Amino acid sequence: MSKRSKTTFSWAGFEGINSINTLVNSEAPNESLNAMFKASKRFKRFKMSLRADENAFNNNNVINGEEAVNQSLVQSYVGSATTTFFKKLEVYVAYTIRLSNYAANQVENKFTTHILKGKAKLSLSKGLDLETDYSFNAFVNATSQNTAEFTIWNAYLRYQPKSSPWEFQLAAYNMLNNASVRRDSFNENFISSYVYFIQQRYTVLSVGFSI
């Protein structure tokens, strides 16, 4: 836990869609709390892991001439498992739930994000590997009940001859042709939920040489 006094904070003035920001010296303290827990256990061919993170912040600022305290609390919980089959196939799966609670200037928003991830690597022959990674994301604004889902799936075929400095890769990105992803964010002045667009399905052939 940390507590900082005699710091600078953000002064913000809004007029329509325009804003003016400047830094002001302040006696009011800004506080933060960060905590993490991690545990893992191996069961024969499987390795199981659990992780929990918590980040809390209290930030002081001034919005349109009025003092405001912005607060955020983000909790993240991750469970994952890894294993190997027949010494050729490596598999990793993980589930994450992220709980975000933001409060600023008498406005509060709560977001919940569910993320399911998977990775696999298959050794086809000496120097030839097939890899893939998958991510399913479900986003919920608990305040407005708005929801969004998106999935990203990539695959890679790699070949590197034994004792050779050359490596060849054929990669296919965003194979499900998803057009956008959604995120939430928090800073001293804004609570926001936004969408940004990503490159749709494409492939890349690359050649590498190690010196």
Side-chain angles (χ1 to χ4, degrees):
M1 181 176 181
S2 66
K3 184 175 183 179
R4 299 177 58 192
S5 56
K6 295 184 179 180
T7 61
T8 59
F9 66 87
S10 172
W11 180 96
F14 294 89
E15 184 174 346
I17 63 173
N18 301 312
S19 65
I20 300 175
N21 298 80
T22 188
L23 295 178
V24 180
N25 292 323
S26 172
E27 296 290 333
N30 289 334
E31 300 174 310
S32 65
L33 172 65
N34 302 283
M36 188 269 286
F37 168 81
K38 186 177 182 180
S40 62
K41 178 70 174 179
R42 183 173 293 276
F43 302 93
K44 294 183 179 180
R45 294 182 303 173
F46 292 87
K47 181 181 179 181
M48 313 293 289
S49 299
L50 292 173
R51 176 169 176 158
D53 295 273
E54 180 174 300
N55 299 281
F57 299 93
N58 278 352
N59 296 315
N60 294 277
N61 67 353
V62 174
I63 299 177
N64 289 340
E66 297 184 4
E67 294 186 1
V69 178
N70 294 348
Q71 300 175 317
S72 71
L73 174 61
V74 179
Q75 299 169 291
S76 180
Y77 304 95
V78 184
S80 63
T82 58
T83 189
T84 302
F85 297 98
F86 311 111
K87 298 182 180 180
K88 288 184 175 293
L89 177 62
E90 300 174 13
V91 178
Y92 166 86
V93 293
Y95 169 72
T96 301
I97 181 170
R98 183 180 298 119
L99 308 173
S100 306
N101 191 348
Y102 305 129
N105 199 28
Q106 299 181 344
V107 177
E108 184 174 2
N109 265 305
K110 296 181 180 181
F111 303 95
T112 302
T113 306
H114 303 271
I115 305 173
L116 178 63
K117 289 186 177 181
K119 296 181 181 180
K121 179 180 179 180
L122 176 64
S123 177
L124 299 173
S125 64
K126 291 184 178 180
L128 181 62
D129 297 321
L130 176 63
E131 295 185 38
T132 185
D133 58 70
Y134 173 91
S135 176
F136 171 78
N137 298 258
F139 174 92
V140 180
N141 184 327
T143 305
S144 65
Q145 295 302 309
N146 290 331
T147 63
E149 296 180 353
F150 63 90
T151 303
I152 302 296
W153 184 24
N154 307 311
Y156 319 87
L157 183 64
R158 297 189 178 98
Y159 177 65
Q160 183 173 20
K162 185 178 180 181
S163 303
S164 172
W166 292 96
E167 182 182 53
F168 306 89
Q169 175 179 277
L170 179 63
Y173 297 97
N174 193 12
M175 292 194 296
L176 298 180
N177 212 31
N178 189 62
S180 62
V181 299
R182 188 165 184 172
R183 293 285 187 264
D184 63 83
S185 67
F186 169 88
N187 61 28
E188 293 177 331
N189 302 317
F190 298 101
I191 299 172
S192 60
S193 172
Y194 60 94
V195 173
Y196 64 91
F197 297 97
I198 61 175
Q199 176 67 48
Q200 292 182 274
R201 184 189 302 119
Y202 66 103
T203 58
V204 176
L205 176 63
S206 59
V207 178
F209 182 84
S210 299
I211 300 176

